[in-house]
Amino acid sequence: MNLIIQGLNIENSDLRALAKLAHASHIERVTGQAFRLVNADPHHDIPNYCQEAQLDFAFVPASMKLSDFGLVAMDMDSTLIAIESIDEIADMGKIKPQVAEITQCTMRGEINFVESLIRRTALLSGLPQEALQTVYDEKVRLNPGAEKMLQRMQQAGIKTMVISGGYTFFTDKIKTKLGLDYAFANKLEISDGKLTGQVLGKIIGAEGKAEVLERIRNELGLKKEQVIAIGDGANDLSMLMSAGIGIAYHAKPILKEKSTYSIDYVGLDGVVNLFE
């Protein structure tokens, strides 16, 4: 196994200590924020050491390469982008605290996602549709490393997809901006230039994300092992379970417990650093 260590500030002393714990044969630099400890063995002290040093760690099979994969599926809010778009729309109507509270309960797995989306969308009723563009222009920012990660994946021939429990207004624009192959989300109903508080069609929730991933995976003729999924909240769990590699990105504990790997400190480019 390779032990991948990543962090915003990695000390040589930490690398040496971790290499000793893992009985690694040698250390290779991947990037300035990532190192590969080769021929490493798991040790029960490594997770605690890395948590105290604020380092991400992952034991990855030495034979696993980025080119082994054919599809990456990403959540949008708080994963690909640095905001919860629904919360920011609500801020336009001065109701962000009410909506954000429901959002957080949902991400922790305390409320069913479909019920949550219906409740949050209803609170947006009456807002002018221009509020959506204002949020996109003024609030939407990519998470660190997003463009670098996608560039590397696209160079490796991997298809890229965003699957969101949010709204198509944002996923369509993100798809165009980043040159993604696929984008799926929920469609807001708009009447007379205002949000009605309703969602059109079947809601893409936790199970819906997994269904979309599996459908596209089958269309591409890929095996489960050839898919990477990245998310941050409870509603991403089924999607991550439908992929060969599930990555919890700056995620809630409920998702980290079930994921293949967790990234808590570095940006999204940390995903590609896991693989040779």
Side-chain angles (χ1 to χ4, degrees):
M1 301 284 279
N2 290 329
L3 172 55
I4 310 300
I5 299 296
Q6 304 191 75
L8 300 179
N9 183 26
I10 303 179
E11 301 289 344
N12 287 333
S13 58
D14 289 328
L15 290 174
R16 289 194 296 269
L18 288 166
K20 184 177 181 179
L21 283 173
H23 300 108
S25 61
H26 60 283
I27 301 171
E28 298 175 349
R29 180 188 291 269
V30 180
T31 70
Q33 294 183 340
F35 292 83
R36 182 183 298 117
L37 280 57
V38 181
N39 297 323
D41 297 321
H43 189 283
H44 59 83
D45 286 337
I46 290 175
N48 287 336
Y49 188 105
C50 288
Q51 184 176 22
E52 290 181 9
Q54 296 191 325
L55 299 173
D56 290 317
F57 75 96
F59 281 94
V60 182
S63 59
M64 193 174 293
K65 297 177 173 57
L66 195 59
S67 57
D68 294 336
F69 300 93
L71 174 68
V72 59
M74 302 160 286
D75 173 48
M76 180 178 69
D77 293 326
S78 296
T79 300
L80 189 56
I81 64 175
I83 64 165
E84 289 290 332
S85 56
I86 300 176
D87 295 0
E88 298 305 328
I89 298 169
D91 196 31
M92 297 288 111
K94 310 301 182 185
I95 53 170
K96 185 175 181 178
Q98 299 96 300
V99 172
E101 181 180 357
I102 300 172
T103 299
Q104 288 304 309
C105 289
T106 310
M107 294 302 101
R108 292 192 298 265
E110 298 168 3
I111 300 177
N112 172 276
F113 183 84
V114 172
E115 174 195 347
S116 163
L117 185 70
I118 291 171
R119 286 171 56 184
R120 287 180 291 166
T121 304
L123 289 170
L124 305 179
S125 178
L127 283 176
Q129 68 180 97
E130 290 80 13
L132 302 176
Q133 188 65 47
T134 300
V135 170
Y136 182 80
D137 292 339
E138 298 182 3
K139 302 287 187 177
V140 171
R141 298 292 181 269
L142 297 174
N143 264 322
E147 289 179 292
K148 186 182 292 186
M149 175 192 73
L150 289 168
Q151 183 181 40
R152 287 279 304 281
M153 289 188 168
Q154 289 162 343
Q155 287 172 348
I158 298 172
K159 297 293 185 182
T160 55
M161 172 169 63
V162 61
I163 312 175
S164 175
Y167 305 126
T168 55
F169 179 90
F170 298 100
T171 55
D172 288 349
K173 291 182 180 298
I174 292 292
K175 177 177 182 285
T176 300
K177 175 182 176 67
L178 298 176
L180 305 179
D181 295 290
Y182 307 96
F184 300 91
N186 298 299
K187 188 173 180 61
L188 276 171
E189 183 179 60
I190 297 174
S191 179
D192 296 326
K194 294 184 178 181
L195 309 189
T196 67
Q198 301 291 319
V199 179
L200 296 173
K202 182 180 178 181
I203 290 175
I204 296 179
E207 296 305 319
K209 286 187 173 188
E211 291 170 4
V212 170
L213 184 151
E214 290 167 8
R215 175 165 61 84
I216 298 301
R217 185 187 77 202
N218 291 335
E219 287 179 7
L220 293 172
L222 298 173
K223 299 176 183 178
K224 178 180 178 179
E225 292 73 25
Q226 294 175 282
V227 179
I228 300 169
I230 310 169
D232 74 293
N235 66 313
D236 297 315
L237 182 56
S238 294
M239 180 175 74
L240 265 62
M241 294 298 99
S242 296
I245 300 291
I247 297 176
Y249 178 75
H250 294 235
K252 300 294 186 291
I254 190 172
L255 193 67
K256 292 168 64 173
E257 291 169 5
K258 302 289 187 179
S259 63
T260 315
Y261 305 118
S262 291
I263 292 177
D264 294 321
Y265 303 108
V266 299
L268 283 168
D269 49 329
V271 173
V272 295
N273 293 335
L274 297 175
F275 312 107
E276 294 188 40

